[in-house]
Amino acid sequence: MRLLDQVPPSTPRQACAVPLTVKRTPSRTTFSNTLSTRKRRRVSIPSFDLEAELGIPVSTELAVEETDADRFVAFRSPSSIPLHTTPRTNRIAKSFGLLDDRVLTYAEGPTSPSETKLRSLLRRSVTELFNIPRSTSSVSAKANLGARKQFVMALDGPGISRDPFAFSMTWSRANCIGVAFRSDVYCQNLETREIVHLCRVLADDGPVHSIDWRDQPQSHILGLGTTSGKVRVWDALSLSLVADWSGDGSPVGGMHWNESVLAVGRKDGRVSLYDLRTPEEIREAKGHKRHVHGVKWSPDGKYLATGDHSGNVHIWDQRAANYLTIGDKKLLAKHNGPVKAISWSPWQGGLVATGGTFPDGAIQIFDVNKISTVSPPLVIGTYTNVTSLHWSSHCKELLSTHGSSWTKSQTLYDYPPSAKETPTTPFTNSMTVHSYPSCERIVSVVGHSAAIAHSCIGPDGCSIFTVSPAEETIKMFRVWAAPGSQAKDDEQGLARKNAIR
């Protein structure tokens, strides 16, 4: 029987002895707040010494000023109008213990020193957990050239051509260097330290302007060109003349081998191609109108990059016997100054870097495989003469050598500036390594007191020889390291192996 049936009819339901439970629906103002005063009283945090647990000594000056401000509610100044603006709101808030809560008052509560110390320790521990230092690769120039900024060996170079566009030094795959001194060419084997006088050109032939070693397997073959247009090939083992292509009277610019084919830049804008198997010129590429300084074959031998005195850069396709084009134009790149420095990437086919001298002073990086998409080049501005470029074989880094610098306001009429007006920048007379594709400067080392006119990279892809005609010195620097090599940072050991006695 239900309980209400036991009550006499005369007894009103309000006088029933059994109390009724009335469920009250809270108003909209009685919302739950997890940060209220009552709920804060229910939370108990066990006391422990976090400093001893983590083993982190904390000084008073390292404590971070903490705040109890709500992260979802903006902190308001004391002049702001609070939410409890009516007596009814104050009564409701007081009954639920929210009168002093920050949701209504927007004020910070007092923070004890122990709580501040605890939060500082927690914040420091989390910061150290996620702050993982970025390690430097042992292959990168930052870990090699940046750590040891001194040269490994130095040679005297009296009589080196002072022409800033001359290629007076080359380094063969057999670890032999060749250096041109006026009309003489000398060779030194860095393994045996033997120095050999290779040849001497006649006075009427003019000084030697460019030299270059052939690649393997005949890395002992050296080609040379003079300012009078003579082109000859010598054998460094037998000290004999292999070929003589002296029929052209146009002065020589840069030159570079592709197997048995030698490409030679000319002052009249032509690029002559010679083959050791034939006594005459096999082909010539026409497209430049000024002196061709930079000449460089791609590693696969498919493309030939050339740069002239006007700053024009062309890419010649050996397979099609014609220049690569962008639309109806045969011009790949345009610098505002003469282009001597050209380098192809050994790890990405079609990637080439070119550098300009005054008044350009910029490095441009292209991908010839994206010519049809008219992809804009990456540009590194230096406002310094870019005399040579070398890609690393072991990492995505590019080295550039530089001469004198200038300001943006200087023009052709006030260059070269006087010694007092010459600005000094991190690029001046330096070797600088850039990362790819970010183009960030990794390290700059001033290896000479004067301009670096030329440089060549070694067969290991790690070392660089730099030439400074004004200083009359040749220096070798270790820029990169081969992956997995256990090379020690011992300058004396390297000097004993390579020094001339």
Side-chain angles (χ1 to χ4, degrees):
M1 181 179 295
R2 293 182 301 177
L3 183 61
L4 291 177
D5 295 339
Q6 297 177 1
V7 182
S10 60
T11 304
R13 291 179 183 251
Q14 292 81 357
C16 180
V18 180
L20 295 179
T21 302
V22 179
K23 187 175 181 180
R24 180 180 179 183
T25 303
S27 63
R28 294 186 179 180
T29 57
T30 59
F31 53 86
S32 175
N33 191 321
T34 57
L35 299 177
S36 62
T37 306
R38 290 185 176 181
K39 291 196 175 184
R40 280 202 299 268
R41 295 195 189 103
R42 299 173 187 173
V43 178
S44 61
I45 301 177
S47 61
F48 58 93
D49 191 353
L50 188 61
E51 179 179 350
E53 292 289 337
L54 297 178
I56 305 175
V58 178
S59 58
T60 56
E61 63 271 14
L62 293 178
V64 181
E65 183 180 355
E66 300 292 338
T67 176
D68 285 334
D70 196 289
R71 59 179 296 191
F72 299 106
V73 180
F75 178 80
R76 298 185 181 181
S77 60
S79 61
S80 301
I81 301 176
L83 290 181
H84 51 286
T85 56
T86 64
R88 181 174 180 274
T89 306
N90 289 334
R91 289 195 304 270
I92 296 174
K94 184 176 181 180
S95 63
F96 287 91
L98 299 176
L99 186 60
D100 58 343
D101 196 270
R102 60 168 171 256
V103 176
L104 298 178
T105 61
Y106 292 97
E108 295 187 11
T111 305
S112 62
S114 60
E115 188 175 353
T116 302
K117 182 179 179 181
L118 175 63
R119 294 183 180 180
S120 299
L121 284 170
L122 289 173
R123 180 169 295 180
R124 285 190 57 199
S125 61
V126 172
T127 303
E128 293 178 1
L129 179 63
F130 290 98
N131 186 19
I132 302 175
R134 185 176 181 180
S135 59
T136 302
S137 173
S138 60
V139 179
S140 174
K142 187 175 183 180
N144 295 274
L145 182 64
R148 181 183 59 246
K149 299 183 178 181
Q150 300 296 325
F151 56 87
V152 176
M153 64 177 296
L155 305 173
D156 292 330
I160 296 180
S161 176
R162 291 179 176 267
D163 188 347
F165 299 103
F167 296 82
S168 55
M169 186 175 183
T170 180
W171 200 343
S172 73
R173 292 290 181 181
N175 202 19
C176 183
I177 60 173
V179 185
F181 298 97
R182 297 188 180 93
S183 299
D184 298 282
V185 178
Y186 290 87
C187 303
Q188 180 192 7
N189 191 318
L190 296 181
E191 299 293 337
T192 62
R193 293 175 294 186
E194 180 183 2
I195 301 176
V196 177
H197 178 253
L198 180 59
C199 63
R200 173 179 293 173
V201 300
L202 299 177
D204 296 339
D205 296 337
V208 178
H209 183 80
S210 299
I211 57 176
D212 187 57
W213 290 106
R214 185 182 173 182
D215 208 344
Q216 292 178 343
Q218 293 183 320
S219 56
H220 57 279
I221 299 297
L222 183 138
L224 65 88
T226 67
T227 56
S228 65
K230 309 295 183 182
V231 178
R232 297 187 177 97
V233 179
W234 287 79
D235 189 334
L237 296 180
S238 61
L239 303 181
S240 60
L241 181 65
V242 177
D244 187 357
W245 300 301
S246 301
D248 200 321
S250 180
V252 171
M255 59 170 52
H256 193 223
W257 286 94
N258 176 26
E259 296 181 351
S260 62
V261 178
L262 178 64
V264 180
R266 298 287 185 176
K267 186 176 182 179
D268 57 8
R270 293 179 294 113
V271 179
S272 302
L273 299 179
Y274 301 95
D275 197 321
L276 283 176
R277 297 167 292 185
T278 60
E280 302 294 336
E281 177 184 310
I282 60 173
R283 191 180 301 167
E284 63 181 22
K286 297 181 180 179
H288 296 279
K289 297 180 179 180
R290 300 287 298 278
H291 199 157
V292 180
H293 299 299
V295 177
K296 189 71 68 173
W297 288 98
S298 62
D300 55 9
K302 296 180 180 179
Y303 303 110
L304 175 67
T306 56
D308 64 14
H309 199 77
S310 299
N312 298 327
V313 178
H314 290 294
I315 302 295
W316 186 74
D317 190 348
Q318 185 188 30
R319 298 166 297 179
N322 199 355
Y323 287 97
L324 295 178
T325 60
I326 303 178
D328 296 332
K329 299 180 181 179
K330 293 183 177 180
L331 184 65
L332 173 67
K334 173 64 178 177
H335 288 264
N336 294 323
V339 176
K340 173 191 176 184
I342 300 176
S343 179
W344 291 87
S345 170
W347 36 263
Q348 180 176 333
L351 187 65
V352 60
T354 60
T357 58
F358 181 84
D360 183 73
I363 301 172
Q364 298 187 21
I365 304 175
F366 301 88
D367 188 348
V368 298
N369 298 319
K370 299 180 180 180
I371 290 181
S372 59
T373 60
V374 197
S375 178
L378 297 175
V379 180
I380 305 174
T382 65
Y383 293 99
T384 309
N385 287 324
V386 182
T387 57
S388 63
L389 294 169
H390 301 285
W391 287 99
S392 171
S393 303
H394 312 296
C395 57
K396 293 185 177 182
E397 295 178 357
L398 175 67
L399 179 139
S400 59
T401 60
H402 301 272
S404 57
S405 304
W406 59 86
T407 61
K408 297 181 181 180
S409 59
Q410 287 176 330
T411 63
L412 289 171
Y413 299 101
D414 50 14
Y415 186 86
S418 62
K420 295 181 179 181
E421 297 176 352
T422 302
T424 301
T425 68
F427 296 101
T428 306
N429 305 334
S430 73
M431 294 181 299
T432 301
V433 182
H434 317 267
S435 63
Y436 177 82
S438 65
C439 297
E440 296 180 357
R441 183 166 58 92
I442 298 176
V443 61
S444 292
V445 173
V446 180
H448 297 267
S449 59
I452 300 176
H454 184 57
S455 68
C456 51
I457 190 169
D460 59 354
C462 300
S463 301
I464 298 289
F465 260 117
T466 58
V467 179
S468 177
E471 195 180 69
E472 294 188 339
T473 56
I474 303 170
K475 296 180 180 179
M476 187 179 81
F477 295 85
R478 187 170 184 84
V479 181
W480 298 288
S485 63
Q486 301 295 330
K488 297 181 180 180
D489 191 8
D490 186 1
E491 297 182 8
Q492 296 181 354
L494 290 172
R496 285 195 300 269
K497 181 178 179 181
N498 297 299
I500 299 176
R501 297 182 181 275

